Amino acid sequence: MSDETLYQRYLDGEEAAADLLVRSHSDALMLYINGYLHDIHESEDLMIESFARLFARPRPIREEGCFRAYLYKIGRNLALRHLGRRRISWIHFDDLPFELSDNALAETPFFENERRHQLYDALAKLKPEYREALYLVYFEDMSYHMAARVMKKNERQITNLVYRGKQSLKTILEKEGFQYADK
């Protein structure tokens, strides 16, 4: 059953549908928010607040993939506001340290082998916009359209960010002697 269908069932009064949505997206959303905050406990609080806002202000979401994009957009906005409350007077996206925390991800399947360690080390060296676009498209399996909604960009910009991000990632990995599995 799609997220959009579950959300509609929640809107129709089925509380169990909300539980399913929270269970299926809470960990990934928390890690995404942690990429901004670098504080897993604050990230957990903002993840909970993201769901609370989503469920408190019902909105019809029918297009496939839109539920997750909308949820991540809420989480992103909350993270940016939270950073602003930390007395950051002006935030430029290029200056945001969007990093995937080693501690937060250590319990996930992403760190199963050394090759993935190399990949994450290389990702940390990318420009924040490239890293976020690649994360949303490849790790969260969002379409370019949905990633554009989350990042407040158009699809063409996301296409360019993903392309440039992959090119930069390839260059970084080659410099570090990364061995491709298919060679």
Side-chain angles (χ1 to χ4, degrees):
M1 185 176 315
S2 74
D3 294 335
E4 293 74 23
T5 302
L6 284 170
Y7 184 65
Q8 186 58 50
R9 289 175 79 169
Y10 164 76
L11 294 178
D12 293 339
E14 188 178 323
E15 294 292 324
D19 293 338
L20 288 172
L21 288 169
V22 170
R23 269 189 244 124
S24 65
H25 295 288
S26 60
D27 290 341
L29 178 61
M30 184 172 54
L31 291 175
Y32 175 72
I33 293 170
N34 194 55
Y36 285 101
L37 303 183
H38 306 289
D39 181 336
I40 198 70
H41 301 292
E42 289 290 331
S43 299
E44 184 176 22
D45 290 345
L46 291 183
M47 175 270 298
I48 292 167
E49 187 174 342
S50 298
F51 278 106
R53 287 182 182 224
L54 178 78
F55 295 135
R57 288 187 235 141
R59 159 188 178 159
I61 301 174
R62 290 183 177 76
E63 186 181 335
E64 186 72 29
C66 283
F67 172 84
R68 194 167 47 154
Y70 184 58
L71 176 63
Y72 275 61
K73 189 174 186 177
I74 292 170
R76 181 179 194 260
N77 289 338
L78 287 172
L80 292 175
R81 274 192 217 118
H82 185 77
L83 287 172
R85 278 183 251 152
R86 288 185 182 169
R87 300 193 188 272
I88 296 175
S89 59
W90 187 75
I91 298 174
H92 187 272
F93 190 80
D94 290 338
D95 299 330
L96 285 176
F98 187 85
E99 297 177 26
L100 303 173
S101 165
D102 288 349
N103 294 337
L105 289 176
E107 300 171 12
T108 67
F110 294 128
F111 277 101
E112 291 177 357
N113 59 43
E114 182 60 31
R115 290 172 44 84
R116 290 196 177 161
H117 282 287
Q118 287 180 298
L119 175 61
Y120 277 93
D121 288 343
L123 279 169
K125 295 175 184 173
L126 290 177
K127 287 183 178 181
E129 278 190 316
Y130 295 168
R131 187 170 39 247
E132 184 174 13
L134 289 171
Y135 179 81
L136 291 173
V137 170
Y138 291 103
F139 294 98
E140 291 300 324
D141 200 30
M142 286 189 186
S143 68
Y144 286 26
H145 177 73
M146 294 301 120
R149 283 184 167 184
V150 172
M151 292 180 69
K152 297 181 182 176
K153 301 201 176 288
N154 63 45
E155 283 185 62
R156 184 70 188 147
Q157 289 171 310
I158 296 298
T159 301
N160 289 337
L161 288 171
V162 168
Y163 176 78
R164 290 180 187 142
K166 289 191 315 189
Q167 294 301 103
S168 295
L169 186 61
K170 181 179 178 186
T171 301
I172 291 167
L173 288 171
E174 286 174 350
K175 282 181 184 176
E176 295 177 358
F178 186 80
Q179 298 296 316
Y180 295 95
D182 56 352
K183 285 190 176 183

